[in-house]
Coordinates of all heavy atoms in Angstrom, one line a residue:
M690 N 79.8 88.3 46.3 CA 78.5 88.6 47.0 C 78.6 90.1 47.4 O 79.5 90.5 48.0 CB 78.4 87.7 48.3 CG 77.3 88.1 49.1 SD 77.2 87.2 50.7 CE 77.2 85.5 50.3
A691 N 77.5 90.8 47.1 CA 77.4 92.2 47.5 C 76.9 92.4 48.9 O 76.0 91.6 49.3 CB 76.4 92.9 46.5
L692 N 77.5 93.3 49.6 CA 77.0 93.6 51.0 C 76.0 94.7 50.9 O 76.1 95.7 50.1 CB 78.2 94.0 51.8 CG 79.2 92.9 52.1 CD1 80.4 93.5 52.9 CD2 78.6 91.8 52.8
T693 N 75.0 94.7 51.7 CA 74.0 95.7 51.8 C 74.1 96.4 53.2 O 74.3 95.8 54.2 CB 72.6 95.1 51.7 OG1 72.5 94.3 50.5 CG2 71.5 96.1 51.8
D694 N 74.2 97.7 53.1 CA 74.3 98.5 54.3 C 72.9 99.0 54.7 O 72.2 99.7 54.0 CB 75.2 99.7 54.0 CG 75.4 100.6 55.3 OD1 75.3 100.0 56.4 OD2 75.6 101.8 55.1
I695 N 72.4 98.5 55.9 CA 71.1 98.9 56.4 C 71.3 99.8 57.5 O 72.0 99.5 58.5 CB 70.3 97.7 56.8 CG1 70.1 96.7 55.6 CG2 69.0 98.0 57.4 CD1 69.5 95.4 56.0
Q696 N 70.6 101.0 57.5 CA 70.6 101.9 58.6 C 69.2 102.0 59.1 O 68.2 102.2 58.3 CB 71.1 103.3 58.1 CG 72.6 103.2 57.7 CD 73.1 104.6 57.3 OE1 72.5 105.6 57.5 NE2 74.3 104.6 56.8
I697 N 69.1 101.9 60.4 CA 67.7 102.0 61.1 C 67.5 103.4 61.6 O 68.4 103.9 62.4 CB 67.6 100.9 62.2 CG1 67.8 99.5 61.5 CG2 66.3 101.1 62.9 CD1 67.8 98.4 62.5
D698 N 66.4 104.0 61.3 CA 66.1 105.3 61.8 C 65.3 105.1 63.1 O 64.1 105.0 63.1 CB 65.2 106.0 60.7 CG 65.0 107.5 61.1 OD1 65.2 107.8 62.3 OD2 64.6 108.2 60.2
E699 N 66.0 105.1 64.2 CA 65.4 104.9 65.5 C 64.4 106.0 65.8 O 63.3 105.6 66.4 CB 66.5 104.9 66.6 CG 67.6 103.8 66.4 CD 67.1 102.5 66.8 OE1 66.1 102.4 67.6 OE2 67.7 101.5 66.4
E700 N 64.6 107.2 65.5 CA 63.6 108.3 65.8 C 62.3 108.0 65.0 O 61.3 108.2 65.6 CB 64.2 109.6 65.4 CG 65.3 110.1 66.4 CD 65.7 111.5 66.1 OE1 64.9 112.3 65.5 OE2 66.9 111.8 66.4
A701 N 62.4 107.6 63.8 CA 61.2 107.3 63.0 C 60.4 106.2 63.6 O 59.2 106.2 63.7 CB 61.6 107.0 61.6
I702 N 61.1 105.1 64.1 CA 60.4 104.0 64.7 C 59.8 104.5 66.0 O 58.6 104.1 66.3 CB 61.4 102.9 65.0 CG1 61.9 102.3 63.6 CG2 60.8 101.8 65.9 CD1 63.0 101.3 63.7
Q703 N 60.5 105.2 66.8 CA 59.9 105.8 68.1 C 58.7 106.6 67.8 O 57.7 106.6 68.5 CB 61.0 106.5 68.9 CG 60.4 107.1 70.2 CD 59.9 106.1 71.2 OE1 60.4 105.0 71.2 NE2 58.9 106.5 71.9
S704 N 58.8 107.4 66.8 CA 57.6 108.3 66.5 C 56.4 107.5 66.1 O 55.3 108.0 66.2 CB 58.0 109.3 65.4 OG 58.1 108.7 64.1
L705 N 56.5 106.3 65.6 CA 55.4 105.5 65.3 C 54.6 105.2 66.6 O 53.3 105.3 66.6 CB 55.8 104.2 64.6 CG 56.4 104.2 63.2 CD1 56.9 102.9 62.8 CD2 55.3 104.8 62.3
A706 N 55.2 104.8 67.6 CA 54.5 104.5 68.9 C 53.9 105.7 69.5 O 52.9 105.6 70.2 CB 55.5 103.9 69.9
T707 N 54.4 106.9 69.3 CA 53.8 108.1 69.9 C 52.9 108.9 68.9 O 52.4 109.9 69.3 CB 54.9 109.0 70.5 OG1 55.8 109.3 69.4 CG2 55.7 108.3 71.6
G708 N 52.7 108.3 67.7 CA 51.9 109.0 66.8 C 50.4 109.0 67.1 O 50.0 108.2 67.9
H709 N 49.7 109.9 66.6 CA 48.3 110.1 66.9 C 47.4 108.8 66.7 O 46.7 108.4 67.6 CB 47.7 111.2 66.1 CG 46.2 111.4 66.3 ND1 45.7 111.9 67.5 CD2 45.1 111.1 65.5 CE1 44.4 111.9 67.4 NE2 44.0 111.4 66.2
E710 N 47.6 108.1 65.6 CA 46.8 106.9 65.3 C 47.0 105.8 66.3 O 46.1 105.1 66.8 CB 47.0 106.5 63.9 CG 46.4 107.4 62.8 CD 46.6 106.9 61.4 OE1 47.1 105.8 61.2 OE2 46.3 107.7 60.5
V711 N 48.3 105.6 66.5 CA 48.7 104.5 67.5 C 48.2 104.8 68.9 O 47.7 104.0 69.6 CB 50.2 104.2 67.4 CG1 50.6 103.3 68.5 CG2 50.6 103.7 66.0
Q712 N 48.4 106.1 69.3 CA 48.0 106.5 70.6 C 46.4 106.4 70.8 O 46.0 105.9 71.8 CB 48.4 107.9 70.9 CG 49.9 108.0 71.3 CD 50.3 107.1 72.5 OE1 49.7 107.3 73.6 NE2 51.1 106.2 72.3
A713 N 45.7 106.7 69.7 CA 44.2 106.6 69.8 C 43.8 105.1 69.9 O 42.9 104.8 70.7 CB 43.6 107.2 68.5
D714 N 44.5 104.3 69.2 CA 44.2 102.8 69.3 C 44.6 102.3 70.7 O 43.8 101.5 71.2 CB 45.0 102.1 68.2 CG 44.7 100.6 68.2 OD1 43.5 100.2 68.1 OD2 45.7 99.8 68.5
L715 N 45.7 102.6 71.2 CA 46.1 102.2 72.5 C 45.1 102.7 73.6 O 44.8 101.9 74.5 CB 47.5 102.6 72.9 CG 48.7 101.9 72.2 CD1 50.0 102.6 72.5 CD2 48.7 100.5 72.6
K716 N 44.7 103.9 73.5 CA 43.8 104.5 74.5 C 42.4 103.8 74.4 O 41.8 103.5 75.4 CB 43.7 106.0 74.4 CG 44.9 106.7 74.9 CD 44.8 108.2 74.7 CE 46.2 108.8 75.2 NZ 46.2 110.2 75.0
D717 N 42.0 103.4 73.2 CA 40.8 102.7 73.0 C 40.9 101.3 73.6 O 40.0 100.8 74.3 CB 40.4 102.6 71.5 CG 39.2 101.8 71.3 OD1 38.1 102.3 71.8 OD2 39.2 100.8 70.6
R718 N 42.0 100.6 73.4 CA 42.2 99.3 73.9 C 42.3 99.3 75.5 O 41.7 98.5 76.1 CB 43.5 98.7 73.4 CG 43.4 98.3 71.9 CD 44.8 97.9 71.4 NE 44.8 97.7 70.0 CZ 44.8 96.4 69.5 NH1 44.9 95.4 70.2 NH2 44.8 96.3 68.2
M719 N 43.0 100.3 76.0 CA 43.1 100.4 77.4 C 41.7 100.8 78.1 O 41.4 100.5 79.2 CB 44.2 101.4 77.8 CG 45.6 100.9 77.5 SD 46.0 99.3 78.4 CE 45.8 98.2 77.0
G720 N 40.9 101.5 77.3 CA 39.6 101.9 77.7 C 38.7 100.6 77.9 O 38.0 100.5 78.9
R721 N 38.9 99.6 77.0 CA 38.2 98.3 77.2 C 38.8 97.6 78.4 O 38.0 96.9 79.1 CB 38.4 97.5 75.9 CG 37.6 98.1 74.7 CD 37.5 97.1 73.6 NE 38.7 96.6 73.1 CZ 39.4 97.2 72.1 NH1 38.9 98.2 71.5 NH2 40.5 96.6 71.6
V722 N 40.1 97.6 78.6 CA 40.7 97.0 79.8 C 40.1 97.6 81.1 O 39.7 96.9 82.0 CB 42.2 97.1 79.8 CG1 42.8 96.7 81.1 CG2 42.8 96.3 78.7
A723 N 40.0 99.0 81.1 CA 39.5 99.6 82.3 C 38.1 99.3 82.6 O 37.7 99.0 83.7 CB 39.7 101.2 82.2
E724 N 37.3 99.2 81.5 CA 35.9 98.8 81.7 C 35.7 97.4 82.2 O 34.9 97.2 83.1 CB 35.1 99.0 80.3 CG 33.7 98.7 80.4 CD 32.9 99.5 81.4 OE1 33.3 100.7 81.6 OE2 31.9 99.0 82.0
L725 N 36.5 96.5 81.6 CA 36.4 95.1 82.1 C 36.9 95.0 83.6 O 36.3 94.3 84.4 CB 37.3 94.2 81.3 CG 36.8 93.8 79.9 CD1 37.9 93.2 79.1 CD2 35.7 92.8 80.1
A726 N 37.9 95.8 84.0 CA 38.4 95.8 85.3 C 37.3 96.3 86.3 O 37.1 95.8 87.4 CB 39.7 96.6 85.5
R727 N 36.6 97.4 85.9 CA 35.5 97.9 86.7 C 34.4 96.9 86.9 O 33.8 96.8 87.9 CB 35.0 99.3 86.1 CG 36.0 100.4 86.4 CD 35.3 101.8 86.0 NE 35.1 101.9 84.6 CZ 36.0 102.4 83.7 NH1 37.2 102.8 84.2 NH2 35.8 102.5 82.5
Q728 N 34.1 96.2 85.8 CA 33.0 95.2 85.8 C 33.3 94.1 86.8 O 32.4 93.5 87.4 CB 32.7 94.7 84.5 CG 32.0 95.7 83.5 CD 31.9 95.1 82.1 OE1 32.2 94.0 81.8 NE2 31.5 96.0 81.2
T729 N 34.6 93.7 86.9 CA 34.9 92.6 87.7 C 35.6 92.9 89.0 O 36.0 92.0 89.8 CB 35.9 91.6 86.9 OG1 37.1 92.4 86.6 CG2 35.2 91.1 85.7
A730 N 35.8 94.2 89.3 CA 36.4 94.6 90.6 C 35.6 94.2 91.8 O 34.4 94.3 91.8 CB 36.6 96.1 90.6
P731 N 36.3 93.7 92.8 CA 35.6 93.5 94.1 C 35.2 94.8 94.7 O 35.8 95.8 94.5 CB 36.7 92.8 95.0 CG 38.0 93.3 94.4 CD 37.7 93.5 92.9
V732 N 34.0 94.8 95.3 CA 33.4 96.0 95.9 C 33.2 95.9 97.4 O 32.5 95.0 97.8 CB 32.1 96.3 95.1 CG1 31.5 97.6 95.7 CG2 32.3 96.5 93.7
D733 N 33.8 96.8 98.1 CA 33.5 96.9 99.5 C 32.8 98.3 99.7 O 31.6 98.4 99.9 CB 34.8 96.8 100.3 CG 34.5 96.8 101.8 OD1 33.3 96.7 102.2 OD2 35.5 97.0 102.6
T734 N 33.6 99.3 99.5 CA 33.1 100.7 99.5 C 32.8 101.2 98.1 O 32.1 102.2 97.9 CB 34.0 101.7 100.2 OG1 35.2 101.8 99.3 CG2 34.4 101.2 101.6
G735 N 33.4 100.6 97.1 CA 33.2 101.1 95.7 C 34.3 102.0 95.2 O 34.4 102.4 94.1
A736 N 35.2 102.4 96.2 CA 36.3 103.4 95.9 C 37.3 102.8 94.9 O 37.7 103.5 93.9 CB 37.0 103.8 97.1
Y737 N 37.6 101.5 95.1 CA 38.6 100.9 94.1 C 38.0 100.9 92.7 O 38.7 101.3 91.8 CB 39.0 99.5 94.6 CG 39.8 98.7 93.7 CD1 41.1 99.0 93.4 CD2 39.2 97.6 93.0 CE1 41.8 98.3 92.5 CE2 40.0 96.9 92.1 CZ 41.3 97.2 91.9 OH 42.0 96.5 91.0
R738 N 36.8 100.4 92.6 CA 36.2 100.2 91.3 C 36.1 101.6 90.6 O 36.4 101.8 89.4 CB 34.8 99.6 91.4 CG 34.1 99.5 90.1 CD 32.8 98.9 90.2 NE 31.9 99.6 91.1 CZ 30.8 99.1 91.6 NH1 30.4 97.9 91.3 NH2 30.1 99.9 92.5
A739 N 35.6 102.6 91.4 CA 35.5 103.9 90.8 C 36.8 104.6 90.4 O 36.8 105.5 89.6 CB 34.7 104.8 91.8
S740 N 37.9 104.2 91.0 CA 39.2 104.8 90.7 C 39.9 104.2 89.5 O 40.9 104.8 89.1 CB 40.1 104.7 92.0 OG 40.6 103.4 92.1
I741 N 39.4 103.1 88.9 CA 40.1 102.5 87.8 C 39.9 103.4 86.6 O 38.7 103.8 86.2 CB 39.5 101.1 87.5 CG1 39.8 100.2 88.7 CG2 40.1 100.5 86.2 CD1 39.1 98.9 88.7
H742 N 41.0 103.8 85.9 CA 40.9 104.7 84.8 C 42.1 104.6 83.9 O 43.1 104.0 84.3 CB 40.8 106.2 85.3 CG 42.1 106.6 86.0 ND1 42.4 106.2 87.3 CD2 43.2 107.3 85.6 CE1 43.6 106.7 87.7 NE2 44.1 107.4 86.6
V743 N 42.0 105.1 82.7 CA 43.1 105.1 81.7 C 43.8 106.4 82.0 O 43.2 107.5 82.1 CB 42.6 105.1 80.3 CG1 43.8 105.3 79.3 CG2 41.8 103.9 80.0
N744 N 45.1 106.3 82.2 CA 46.0 107.5 82.5 C 46.0 108.3 81.2 O 46.3 107.8 80.1 CB 47.4 107.0 82.8 CG 48.2 108.2 83.3 OD1 48.1 109.3 82.8 ND2 49.2 107.9 84.2
P745 N 45.5 109.5 81.2 CA 45.4 110.3 80.0 C 46.7 110.7 79.3 O 46.7 111.0 78.1 CB 44.7 111.6 80.4 CG 45.0 111.7 81.9 CD 45.2 110.3 82.4
D746 N 47.8 110.6 80.0 CA 49.1 110.9 79.4 C 49.9 109.6 79.1 O 50.0 108.8 80.0 CB 49.9 111.8 80.3 CG 49.2 113.1 80.6 OD1 48.6 113.7 79.7 OD2 49.2 113.5 81.8
H747 N 50.4 109.5 77.9 CA 51.3 108.4 77.6 C 52.7 108.6 78.0 O 53.1 109.8 78.2 CB 51.2 108.0 76.1 CG 51.8 109.0 75.2 ND1 53.1 109.2 75.0 CD2 51.2 110.0 74.4 CE1 53.4 110.2 74.1 NE2 52.2 110.6 73.8
D748 N 53.4 107.5 78.3 CA 54.8 107.7 78.7 C 55.6 108.1 77.4 O 55.2 108.1 76.3 CB 55.4 106.3 79.1 CG 54.9 106.0 80.5 OD1 54.3 106.8 81.2 OD2 55.1 104.8 81.0
T749 N 56.9 108.5 77.6 CA 57.7 108.9 76.5 C 57.9 107.8 75.5 O 58.2 108.1 74.4 CB 59.1 109.4 77.0 OG1 59.7 108.4 77.8 CG2 58.9 110.7 77.9
D750 N 57.8 106.6 75.9 CA 58.0 105.5 75.0 C 56.6 105.1 74.3 O 56.6 104.2 73.5 CB 58.5 104.2 75.7 CG 57.6 103.6 76.7 OD1 56.5 104.2 77.0 OD2 57.9 102.5 77.2
G751 N 55.6 105.8 74.6 CA 54.3 105.6 73.9 C 53.3 104.7 74.7 O 52.2 104.5 74.2
S752 N 53.8 104.1 75.8 CA 52.9 103.2 76.5 C 51.8 103.9 77.2 O 51.9 105.0 77.6 CB 53.7 102.3 77.5 OG 54.3 103.1 78.4
V753 N 50.6 103.2 77.2 CA 49.4 103.8 77.9 C 49.1 102.9 79.0 O 49.1 101.7 78.9 CB 48.3 103.9 76.9 CG1 47.0 104.4 77.5 CG2 48.7 104.8 75.7
H754 N 48.7 103.4 80.2 CA 48.5 102.6 81.4 C 47.0 102.8 81.9 O 46.4 103.8 81.8 CB 49.4 103.1 82.5 CG 50.8 103.0 82.2 ND1 51.6 101.9 82.4 CD2 51.7 103.9 81.6 CE1 52.8 102.1 82.0 NE2 52.9 103.4 81.5
V755 N 46.6 101.7 82.5 CA 45.3 101.7 83.3 C 45.8 101.8 84.7 O 46.6 101.0 85.2 CB 44.5 100.4 83.0 CG1 43.3 100.4 84.0 CG2 44.0 100.4 81.6
D756 N 45.3 102.8 85.4 CA 45.7 103.0 86.8 C 44.5 103.0 87.7 O 43.4 103.0 87.3 CB 46.4 104.4 86.9 CG 47.7 104.5 86.1 OD1 48.4 103.5 86.1 OD2 48.0 105.6 85.6
T757 N 44.8 103.0 89.0 CA 43.8 103.2 90.1 C 44.2 104.3 91.0 O 45.4 104.6 91.1 CB 43.6 101.9 90.9 OG1 44.7 101.6 91.7 CG2 43.3 100.7 90.0
G758 N 43.3 104.9 91.6 CA 43.6 106.0 92.5 C 43.6 105.7 94.0 O 43.6 106.6 94.8
V759 N 43.6 104.4 94.3 CA 43.6 104.1 95.7 C 45.0 103.4 96.1 O 45.5 102.7 95.3 CB 42.5 103.1 96.1 CG1 41.1 103.8 95.9 CG2 42.5 101.8 95.3
Q760 N 45.5 103.7 97.3 CA 46.8 103.2 97.7 C 46.8 101.7 97.9 O 47.8 101.1 97.8 CB 47.2 103.9 99.0 CG 47.4 105.4 98.8 CD 47.8 106.0 100.1 OE1 47.6 105.5 101.2 NE2 48.4 107.2 100.0
Y761 N 45.6 101.1 98.2 CA 45.6 99.6 98.5 C 45.3 98.8 97.3 O 45.1 97.6 97.4 CB 44.5 99.4 99.6 CG 43.2 99.9 99.2 CD1 42.3 99.2 98.5 CD2 42.8 101.2 99.7 CE1 41.0 99.7 98.2 CE2 41.5 101.7 99.4 CZ 40.7 101.0 98.6 OH 39.4 101.5 98.3
A762 N 45.4 99.3 96.1 CA 45.1 98.6 94.9 C 46.1 97.4 94.7 O 45.7 96.3 94.2 CB 45.2 99.5 93.6
I763 N 47.3 97.5 95.1 CA 48.3 96.4 95.0 C 47.9 95.2 95.8 O 48.1 94.1 95.4 CB 49.7 96.9 95.3 CG1 50.7 95.8 94.9 CG2 49.8 97.2 96.8 CD1 52.1 96.3 94.9
Y764 N 47.2 95.5 97.0 CA 46.8 94.4 97.8 C 45.5 93.7 97.2 O 45.4 92.4 97.4 CB 46.4 94.9 99.2 CG 47.6 95.6 99.8 CD1 47.6 96.9 100.2 CD2 48.8 94.9 100.1 CE1 48.7 97.5 100.7 CE2 49.9 95.5 100.6 CZ 49.8 96.8 101.0 OH 50.9 97.4 101.5
I765 N 44.7 94.4 96.5 CA 43.6 93.8 95.8 C 44.2 92.9 94.6 O 43.7 91.8 94.4 CB 42.6 94.8 95.3 CG1 41.9 95.5 96.5 CG2 41.6 94.2 94.3 CD1 41.1 96.7 96.1
E766 N 45.1 93.5 93.9 CA 45.7 92.8 92.7 C 46.4 91.5 93.2 O 46.2 90.4 92.6 CB 46.6 93.7 92.0 CG 47.0 93.2 90.6 CD 45.9 93.1 89.6 OE1 44.8 93.6 89.8 OE2 46.2 92.5 88.5
Y767 N 47.3 91.6 94.1 CA 48.2 90.5 94.5 C 47.9 89.8 95.8 O 48.5 88.8 96.2 CB 49.6 91.0 94.5 CG 50.1 91.5 93.1 CD1 50.3 92.8 92.9 CD2 50.2 90.6 92.1 CE1 50.7 93.2 91.6 CE2 50.6 91.0 90.8 CZ 50.8 92.3 90.6 OH 51.2 92.8 89.4
G768 N 46.9 90.4 96.6 CA 46.5 89.8 97.8 C 47.6 90.0 98.9 O 48.5 90.7 98.7
T769 N 47.3 89.5 100.1 CA 48.2 89.5 101.2 C 48.4 88.1 101.8 O 47.6 87.2 101.5 CB 47.7 90.5 102.3 OG1 46.5 89.9 102.9 CG2 47.4 91.9 101.8
R770 N 49.3 88.0 102.7 CA 49.5 86.7 103.4 C 48.7 86.6 104.7 O 48.7 85.6 105.4 CB 51.0 86.5 103.7 CG 51.8 86.3 102.5 CD 53.2 85.9 103.0 NE 54.2 86.5 102.2 CZ 55.5 86.4 102.4 NH1 55.9 85.7 103.4 NH2 56.3 87.0 101.6
Q771 N 47.9 87.6 105.0 CA 47.1 87.6 106.2 C 46.1 86.5 106.2 O 45.3 86.4 105.2 CB 46.4 89.0 106.4 CG 45.7 89.1 107.7 CD 45.1 90.5 107.8 OE1 45.1 91.3 106.8 NE2 44.6 90.8 109.0
T772 N 46.0 85.7 107.2 CA 45.1 84.5 107.3 C 44.2 84.7 108.5 O 44.5 85.3 109.5 CB 45.8 83.2 107.3 OG1 46.7 83.2 108.4 CG2 46.6 83.0 106.0
D773 N 43.1 83.9 108.5 CA 42.2 83.9 109.7 C 42.7 82.7 110.5 O 43.7 82.1 110.2 CB 40.8 83.7 109.3 CG 40.4 82.5 108.5 OD1 41.3 81.5 108.5 OD2 39.3 82.4 107.9
R774 N 42.0 82.4 111.6 CA 42.4 81.3 112.5 C 42.4 79.9 111.9 O 43.1 79.1 112.4 CB 41.5 81.3 113.7 CG 41.7 82.4 114.7 CD 40.9 82.4 115.9 NE 39.6 82.9 115.5 CZ 38.5 82.6 116.2 NH1 38.4 81.8 117.2 NH2 37.4 83.2 115.8
T775 N 41.7 79.7 110.8 CA 41.8 78.4 110.1 C 42.9 78.3 109.1 O 43.0 77.3 108.4 CB 40.4 78.2 109.4 OG1 40.2 79.1 108.3 CG2 39.3 78.3 110.4
G776 N 43.6 79.4 108.8 CA 44.7 79.4 107.8 C 44.2 79.9 106.5 O 45.0 79.9 105.5
R777 N 43.0 80.3 106.3 CA 42.4 80.8 105.0 C 42.8 82.2 104.8 O 42.8 83.0 105.8 CB 40.9 80.6 105.0 CG 40.3 80.9 103.7 CD 38.8 80.8 103.8 NE 38.4 81.8 104.7 CZ 37.1 82.2 104.9 NH1 36.2 81.7 104.1 NH2 36.8 83.2 105.7
L778 N 43.2 82.5 103.6 CA 43.6 83.9 103.3 C 42.4 84.9 103.5 O 41.3 84.6 103.0 CB 44.1 84.0 101.8 CG 45.5 83.4 101.5 CD1 45.7 83.5 100.0 CD2 46.6 84.2 102.3
I779 N 42.7 86.0 104.1 CA 41.6 87.0 104.3 C 41.5 87.8 103.1 O 40.4 88.2 102.7 CB 42.0 87.8 105.6 CG1 41.9 86.9 106.8 CG2 41.0 89.0 105.7 CD1 42.4 87.6 108.1
H780 N 42.6 88.1 102.5 CA 42.7 89.0 101.3 C 43.4 88.3 100.2 O 44.5 88.5 99.9 CB 43.4 90.3 101.6 CG 42.8 91.1 102.7 ND1 41.6 91.7 102.6 CD2 43.2 91.3 104.0 CE1 41.3 92.3 103.8 NE2 42.3 92.1 104.6
P781 N 42.7 87.3 99.5 CA 43.3 86.6 98.4 C 43.6 87.5 97.2 O 42.9 88.6 97.0 CB 42.3 85.5 98.0 CG 41.0 86.1 98.4 CD 41.3 86.9 99.7
A782 N 44.5 87.1 96.4 CA 44.8 87.9 95.1 C 43.6 87.9 94.2 O 43.0 86.8 94.0 CB 46.0 87.3 94.4
R783 N 43.2 89.0 93.7 CA 42.1 89.1 92.7 C 42.5 89.2 91.3 O 41.8 88.9 90.4 CB 41.2 90.3 93.1 CG 40.6 90.3 94.5 CD 39.7 89.1 94.7 NE 39.1 89.1 96.0 CZ 37.9 88.8 96.3 NH1 37.1 88.4 95.4 NH2 37.5 88.9 97.6
H784 N 43.7 89.8 91.1 CA 44.2 90.0 89.7 C 43.2 90.7 88.8 O 43.1 90.4 87.6 CB 44.6 88.6 89.1 CG 45.6 87.9 89.9 ND1 46.9 88.3 90.1 CD2 45.5 86.7 90.6 CE1 47.6 87.4 90.9 NE2 46.7 86.5 91.3
T785 N 42.6 91.7 89.3 CA 41.5 92.4 88.6 C 42.1 93.0 87.3 O 41.5 92.8 86.2 CB 40.9 93.5 89.5 OG1 40.4 92.8 90.7 CG2 39.8 94.2 88.8
L786 N 43.2 93.8 87.4 CA 43.7 94.5 86.3 C 44.4 93.5 85.3 O 44.2 93.6 84.1 CB 44.7 95.6 86.7 CG 44.1 96.7 87.6 CD1 45.2 97.6 88.1 CD2 43.1 97.4 86.8
G787 N 45.1 92.5 85.8 CA 45.8 91.5 85.0 C 44.8 90.7 84.2 O 45.0 90.5 83.0
N788 N 43.7 90.3 84.9 CA 42.7 89.5 84.2 C 42.0 90.3 83.1 O 41.7 89.8 82.0 CB 41.7 88.9 85.2 CG 42.3 87.8 86.1 OD1 43.3 87.2 85.7 ND2 41.7 87.6 87.2
A789 N 41.7 91.6 83.4 CA 41.1 92.4 82.4 C 42.0 92.6 81.2 O 41.5 92.6 80.1 CB 40.7 93.8 83.1
L790 N 43.3 92.8 81.4 CA 44.2 92.9 80.3 C 44.2 91.7 79.5 O 44.2 91.7 78.3 CB 45.6 93.3 80.9 CG 46.7 93.6 79.8 CD1 46.3 94.8 79.0 CD2 48.0 93.9 80.5
D791 N 44.3 90.5 80.2 CA 44.2 89.2 79.4 C 43.0 89.1 78.6 O 43.0 88.7 77.5 CB 44.4 88.0 80.4 CG 45.8 87.9 81.0 OD1 46.7 88.5 80.4 OD2 45.9 87.2 82.0
A792 N 41.8 89.4 79.2 CA 40.5 89.2 78.6 C 40.4 90.2 77.4 O 39.7 89.8 76.4 CB 39.4 89.5 79.6
A793 N 41.0 91.3 77.4 CA 40.9 92.3 76.3 C 42.0 92.0 75.3 O 42.1 92.7 74.3 CB 41.1 93.7 76.9
G794 N 42.8 90.9 75.5 CA 43.8 90.6 74.5 C 45.1 91.3 74.6 O 45.8 91.4 73.6
G795 N 45.3 91.9 75.7 CA 46.5 92.7 75.9 C 47.7 91.8 76.4 O 47.6 90.6 76.4
D796 N 48.8 92.4 76.7 CA 50.0 91.8 77.2 C 50.5 92.5 78.4 O 50.6 93.7 78.3 CB 51.0 91.7 76.1 CG 52.2 90.9 76.4 OD1 52.2 90.1 77.4 OD2 53.2 91.1 75.7
H797 N 50.8 91.8 79.5 CA 51.4 92.5 80.6 C 52.7 91.9 81.1 O 53.2 91.1 80.6 CB 50.4 92.6 81.8 CG 49.9 91.3 82.3 ND1 50.4 90.6 83.3 CD2 48.8 90.5 81.8 CE1 49.7 89.5 83.6 NE2 48.8 89.4 82.6

């Protein structure tokens, strides 16, 4: 039986994720995620909804992120344990970004 020597070019594989075509596709997909998140975001002042955007710079691994510019976004996404006198959550989890990613066919 003959043995085959396979060598993997890690740099070539990495360059696929950061290449122009893949980055354009990722930014387009994340644009759809951001739009869905804005459409479904809870609105009090509108600051949270207005702050949802695609981060224009990709990470060194090629990943593209949808971000928000408000410090309290984590509480909207995951809620808090704060309850009223009846025990009902005052700030329930909304999962705005996670649901938008799921609806757009992404993976988180």
